[in-house]
Every structure is written in structure tokens, then in C-alpha cells.
Amino acid sequence: MNNKDIAEVDLQYIWHPCTQMKDHEVIPIIPIKKGYGVYLEDFDGNRYIDAISSWWVNLFGHTNEQISSAIKKQLDELEHVIFAGFTHEPIVRLSKRIVELTPTELTRCFYADNGSSGVEVALKMAYHYYKNNREDRDLFVSLTNSYHGETIGALSVGDVKLYKETYSSILINSIQTPVPADQSIEAAVEAAVALEECLANHKDRICALILEPLVQGAGSMHMYNPLFLKLARELCDKYDTLLIADEVMTGFGRTGTMFACQSADISPDFMILSKGLTGGYLPLSIVLTTDKIYDAFYCEYSEHKAFLHSHSYTGNALACAAANATLDIFESDNVIENNLEMADFLAKEVLVFNKLKEVKSTRSQGMIAAVDLMGFDTNRRVGVEIHRYALDKGVLLRPLGHTIYFLPPYTITKEQLKYIFQVTYEAIESL
Ligand SMILES: *Cc1c(COP(=O)(O)O)cnc(C)c1O
């Protein structure tokens, strides 16, 4: 079988995510046969460096030996079990480890199976927490340009028009306050002033502020100063509002620290983890919360305060085995510390793009770097052009609009990064 054989059947039967399917009349879909390390290989034998960690999930390469063998081992023991009334060893071990790794006030793990459903859980829990305390708070606050997933609740608190606008009349109540304009301290302070005004104006109606700490992923890898997180935490306390940290993308070392909240030394009321949690192997998410929240639900069944939310695959044992193996690698390979050098390299090398007249700005945070282009008609799909150029040269990029970003597996080498940058540079020149 070659690429063409598989692509033909694919396009006959499948509707792909986040895709205008008609595009595939001219853009070939690429059937991947295997993955190893940072490489993906298609059925025609072409290989691509996965510079975006397969939609930001992969941390230690494809078919990583340690993670693969942990899943195989778990497979012979227990694949899955109902998670109400039952539990299993991998999830107990994982939960204890995650609580120990995250900020101290986070003491409880609630499980779901992807980032969006994790966000739904946090939103519902926040709302329900006030309800259990005899308050009806029907409003969520989020930052402009934020992204929290595609399900209705998650979409409601997001602010990327491209995904949201169509559904505006069926979304839940949320308002947006400005995200800091850039990575400066001044921008953080300015945004905190606006946040305070927002919280003060809607006091007693707001049940939570939800944000992506440090880096807004789908919002074109927009980055801001950790000071804003500190100020946001203080303001949530001052105005008695819960803080939800959506670390679905930023968690597990992506922004430099194990969790982005730790860059500001804050403890949110909820922390949502997914993407890197299983090393990019299997869908799983965790919503961590505090004793304060947990205790508001803990009472006699007849009081009707329990959180009656579940997903069929909640707490899947194979996914938990993958997550434990991922944490093993963090421990044994000193990942956070070793990433510092690579993050430095990324930060320096990305500056090269400023030489190009098509480049407006560059930025980086930990293991993410981004390049904004300028001067192109907004209707021109520059990102698609860059994507196709890079694929031809064996690099998988997936720009967000006119922003090109790099979010590689942590196992990438400097040589591979240099190649990615060289190809991207040529791709921009070719526009
Ligand atoms: C990807 C993402 C989500 C949604 O996760 P899914 O697993 O795709 O549903 C939510 N929040 C952030 C910050 C994300 O990057």
C-alpha cells in the first residue's frame, strides 16, 4: 500500500477535524505508517520531523520505548474498568504523584478524557461549588484571545472568533477581559487593572476566571508575563472568585517549569491537565482542585450536593500507565533542567527570523517559539503555504493564521531544530 491507496479510502469515508474537507481536492492528506522519535514516516517512505509534537501532545518522541512498554505491560493486567465504585493501581499511583507535583493547595484529582471535557468539569464544578453554598453565580470570565476547547462550555469561555462566532447564540454566559498585550511587566499591570474593574463590576455574579497561564496556545502562541498570574490570583482572592488554570497545553514542562503556574508561584483553585499528560499516547485529563472545593460537595447523599458527572472512559488504566511512564521519564532524565539549555537555544535561534522583512516579531517561552508574519493580505492562507513548503522538505509545521510556531518533542536535537528553522526561513522567503 502507498499513500495514494490509503488517502483515497480515507477521503471517501472520513470527516477530519478542524478541516475544510474540500481543501483535500488539492492538498493531499498524508497517511502516516509509523513514528519513531521526532520522526513520522508515510507510506511512500517520506519522513517528517514533527515540529509541533502532533498537536502539542508528544513529549518524548513517537513509539518511545519506556512509554510503549509500560502500556504493553498494563495491557496484560487490566485495560479498563468502570471508575465509579472501582479503582485501580495505576490511577492511584498517578493521582498521588500528580498531587505531589502540582501547587500545594491542589489535593484532589477528578478524571476526564480530553482537554475540553476537563474544562467542562472545572466550569461545572465552579458553578456547582457556589450552588452548594446557596449562591447562583452564572457568569464566567476569561481572557481575550483565549482558547479552552471546542465543546459548548469550553467554546463559550474561549475567544478565538474563527471557532466561536458561528455558535454564539447557543453559548453559555461569559465575558472577556484583556490578556496582557505582550511579555512586559507594564502589560501585565495594565491587564490586571482591567481585570480588577471587570471583577468589581460583576461582583457576586462571577463564579470563576479561567485562563491559560503564560502562553495562549491556539490564540497564536500569545505570551505574557508571569506577574499577571500573581496579580490575577490576588484579585480572585480579593473579589472572592475562583481561579481556573487551563494547563492543558502549558503543563508538563512546556513553558519551562513543570506547570506554568509555578513560574508565578501561584496555586489556582482548579488546574486542568491533558495533552502531555500521557506523553502524547492516549486521551486522558485531570482536573485538580482544593480541599475547599471538595468539602463543599462532601455530605450525605440526601443533601443532593454530589458532583454527578462522568465519562465512559474516565480514568482509563492504559492511559494512566502511559502517564506514569511519562512521569518516570521526567524523574529519571532530569527533563525540566535539561530543557533549559534547549529552551535557551530555541530563544536565541528564533531571533534569526527578524532579519526577514516579512517578519513582524518573534518570541519564545520554554519549549515554544513563535514567529509572526506581516504584510500579507488577511485572506491569503500564508500558513497553508508554509505548511506545504515545509512538508516537501520533511518538516511538519502547522501555522496558526499568520503565526508560525515551533513546539517540538523534548527529545529533539539542536541539529534537528536548526534544520526546522532553516526550512522555515526558506519557506518565508519563498512566499
Ligand atoms: C488543546 C486545548 C484544549 C482542548 O483539549 P482537547 O483535548 O483538544 O479537547 C483546552 N485548553 C487548551 C489550553 C488547549 O490547548
Side-chain angles (χ1 to χ4, degrees):
M1 278 204 281
N2 59 26
N3 281 7
K4 194 163 161 284
D5 301 332
I6 298 186
E8 253 172 39
V9 184
D10 176 293
L11 293 177
Q12 191 177 346
Y13 292 105
I14 298 174
W15 190 342
H16 284 267
C18 206
T19 299
Q20 170 48 263
M21 291 300 292
K22 192 167 193 299
D23 279 355
H24 285 307
E25 287 180 10
V26 287
I27 303 173
I29 189 142
I30 302 169
I32 294 300
K33 184 175 187 193
K34 54 185 176 182
Y36 41 93
V38 298
Y39 292 103
L40 294 167
E41 193 177 305
D42 69 18
F43 279 77
D44 290 349
N46 306 304
R47 67 178 199 171
Y48 312 92
I49 302 181
D50 187 352
I52 57 162
S53 299
S54 282
W55 250 346
W56 323 344
V57 297
N58 192 289
L59 301 185
F60 302 118
H62 295 277
T63 53
N64 177 287
E65 235 178 82
Q66 237 174 301
I67 304 174
S68 294
S69 70
I71 297 172
K72 287 176 192 162
K73 199 162 155 240
Q74 183 59 39
L75 204 44
D76 288 331
E77 198 73 31
L78 172 72
E79 81 299 336
H80 183 70
V81 62
I82 176 173
F83 197 53
F86 291 82
T87 192
H88 51 82
E89 192 273 337
I91 204 162
V92 170
R93 198 152 64 88
L94 176 63
S95 306
K96 181 168 187 286
R97 296 173 87 178
I98 290 286
V99 166
E100 283 167 2
L101 282 168
T102 48
T104 47
E105 282 177 48
L106 298 170
T107 52
R108 287 278 163 184
C109 298
F110 189 95
Y111 282 82
D113 43 25
N114 60 65
S116 303
S117 60
V119 170
E120 301 290 336
V121 166
L123 297 176
K124 282 177 71 181
M125 261 187 193
Y127 175 76
H128 199 158
Y129 163 79
Y130 284 110
K131 198 106 190 190
N132 281 351
N133 287 334
R134 296 170 197 285
E135 273 190 75
D136 194 1
R137 299 200 183 192
D138 64 344
L139 191 59
F140 292 96
V141 177
S142 62
L143 301 184
T144 53
N145 190 51
S146 58
Y147 180 87
H148 297 289
E150 301 294 349
T151 51
I152 296 289
L155 197 60
S156 303
V157 291
D159 187 44
V160 179
K161 277 202 180 51
L162 180 64
Y163 310 127
K164 184 174 180 175
E165 212 164 23
T166 309
Y167 309 98
S168 57
S169 65
I170 56 168
L171 301 179
I172 62 171
N173 290 335
S174 86
I175 48 175
Q176 280 69 50
T177 177
V179 66
D182 54 42
Q183 288 170 293
S184 70
I185 295 215
E186 296 74 30
V189 172
E190 202 176 314
V193 171
L195 172 62
E196 173 148 29
E197 200 178 303
C198 170
L199 295 178
N201 280 345
H202 303 276
K203 203 175 170 349
D204 304 330
R205 251 195 87 191
I206 297 172
C207 70
L209 165 67
I210 181 167
L211 50 75
E212 297 158 88
L214 282 194
V215 183
Q216 296 183 312
S220 301
M221 296 296 159
H222 182 75
M223 300 173 183
Y224 61 85
N225 195 285
L227 175 66
F228 179 72
L229 295 174
K230 244 194 162 28
L231 299 174
R233 173 72 274 184
E234 285 169 18
L235 290 170
C236 285
D237 288 339
K238 182 171 169 189
Y239 290 91
D240 181 27
T241 289
L242 300 171
L243 177 62
I244 304 173
D246 177 353
E247 294 238 17
V248 170
M249 188 278 283
T250 54
F252 300 98
R254 187 48 75 179
T255 66
T257 47
M258 189 63 169
F259 302 103
C261 281
Q262 290 164 335
S263 69
D265 199 22
I266 60 155
S267 202
D269 299 286
F270 298 93
M271 183 185 275
I272 309 159
L273 304 174
S274 189
K275 294 201 166 107
L277 172 59
T278 62
Y281 268 68
L282 288 158
L284 184 72
S285 59
I286 308 181
V287 179
L288 283 126
T289 192
T290 61
D291 286 344
K292 177 177 97 169
I293 303 292
Y294 181 76
D295 290 344
F297 291 79
Y298 196 88
C299 58
E300 293 301 327
Y301 187 81
S302 54
E303 289 181 55
H304 299 296
K305 287 184 172 180
F307 189 61
L308 302 180
H309 179 115
S310 63
H311 298 285
S312 316
Y313 280 95
T314 288
N316 178 262
L318 297 174
C320 291
N324 275 313
T326 300
L327 292 184
D328 290 343
I329 298 175
F330 272 101
E331 278 174 21
S332 62
D333 294 6
N334 224 356
V335 173
I336 298 294
E337 211 173 300
N338 292 339
N339 276 358
L340 289 178
E341 193 188 326
M342 194 56 85
D344 248 16
F345 183 77
L346 208 55
K348 281 201 196 90
E349 293 287 311
V350 77
L351 296 175
V352 171
F353 290 97
N354 289 309
K355 280 196 266 183
L356 290 164
K357 65 176 189 313
E358 296 88 348
V359 168
K360 182 170 148 199
S361 60
T362 63
R363 62 191 166 281
S364 77
Q365 175 69 55
M367 293 296 284
I368 310 169
V371 177
D372 291 329
L373 302 178
M374 64 176 173
F376 298 99
D377 189 281
T378 43
N379 287 323
R380 180 168 166 192
R381 296 169 76 190
V382 174
V384 176
E385 293 176 50
I386 300 269
H387 168 76
R388 296 193 69 181
Y389 183 99
L391 272 183
D392 271 347
K393 308 276 180 196
V395 175
L396 167 54
L397 296 173
R398 199 172 194 279
L400 290 152
H402 293 192
T403 299
I404 306 166
Y405 67 89
F406 312 95
L407 198 151
Y410 302 160
T411 46
I412 196 141
T413 65
K414 286 183 182 170
E415 287 65 37
Q416 289 161 339
L417 264 181
K418 272 189 180 157
Y419 182 69
I420 292 169
F421 281 2
Q422 183 199 323
V423 166
T424 309
Y425 198 92
E426 290 166 10
I428 298 172
E429 282 184 314
S430 80
L431 289 171

